[in-house]
Amino acid sequence: MDAIYIRRWREDVSACLTRLLPGFEARFGYPPGRHTIGGPAGEEELASLANVCPPGDLLSWYRQVREVSLPDVGNGVFIHDPGLVARREVTAVRGRCAADVVVFASDGGGTLFAMEAVSGSPVYRLPAGEVVAGVYRSDNQRFALVAEDLAGFLNRQRDAVELFVATGAAVDL
């Protein structure tokens, strides 16, 4: 994942927010929350993240974007800050799928999104479920592979934001 892709993603989502936020309260009946697409993560944050993520797509992402918080898009779209990612409350998935994972995103409904800590890893949806000693049980019917890699996940997120802005319809990844 390169800096040009990340910059374009950021520009596309920011343009959507520019269309969404004016008139938001009149359209949805409540004031919007604080929507942010943060700047690059700091060197200390990147160093702590490097302990759980070898060089690859996640670190490339965090070099450009520290976090994303879009609380009013569908259930919410959140790409966690590096400190939360490095805490690793969920470290593995076992059951229908077995993988060591890094949780990096969530929605406002309790669903987590995780990937293996290597470039090109698929992204998994972890619906609210049992976690024991850092291991998520993947027997839930809603557990699924949602993208082939981080760029695929980000593309789906961008598309979901664009659809929400255009129609008000929430997309469930």
Side-chain angles (χ1 to χ4, degrees):
M1 175 172 306
D2 65 18
I4 293 169
Y5 169 84
I6 296 169
R7 188 188 74 229
R8 285 187 183 141
W9 185 94
R10 180 187 196 119
E11 290 169 354
D12 290 348
V13 173
S14 294
C16 286
L17 293 176
T18 299
R19 293 190 314 272
L20 175 66
L21 296 177
F24 182 93
E25 188 168 3
R27 182 177 178 192
F28 293 101
Y30 59 93
R34 185 169 175 255
H35 295 79
T36 60
I37 302 174
E43 289 303 317
E44 287 181 27
E45 292 175 308
L46 290 170
S48 70
L49 194 57
N51 291 327
V52 298
C53 296
D57 293 341
L58 273 176
L59 283 177
S60 295
W61 170 262
Y62 284 114
R63 282 187 187 98
Q64 302 295 318
V65 179
R66 183 180 180 274
E67 67 182 319
V68 174
S69 179
L70 309 175
D72 298 308
V73 175
N75 272 347
V77 174
F78 306 97
I79 299 178
H80 303 162
D81 70 73
L84 184 57
V85 173
R87 277 193 284 258
R88 298 202 66 203
E89 293 177 16
V90 176
T91 59
V93 173
R94 300 291 184 265
R96 290 189 303 147
C97 173
D100 293 333
V101 297
V102 175
V103 172
F104 67 94
S106 62
D107 69 12
T111 298
L112 302 174
F113 296 94
M115 61 188 296
E116 296 173 50
V118 295
S119 287
S121 167
V123 176
Y124 304 102
R125 175 181 55 227
L126 286 61
E130 178 184 12
V131 177
V132 176
V135 177
Y136 174 87
R137 297 299 309 168
S138 64
D139 301 323
N140 186 310
Q141 293 289 4
R142 293 198 64 240
F143 173 88
L145 185 146
V146 296
E148 292 297 319
D149 56 18
L150 182 58
F153 175 80
L154 293 168
N155 290 341
R156 289 191 66 191
Q157 287 289 6
R158 183 199 55 231
D159 294 347
V161 171
E162 289 173 351
L163 181 66
F164 183 79
V165 169
T167 68
V171 175
D172 184 21
L173 294 182

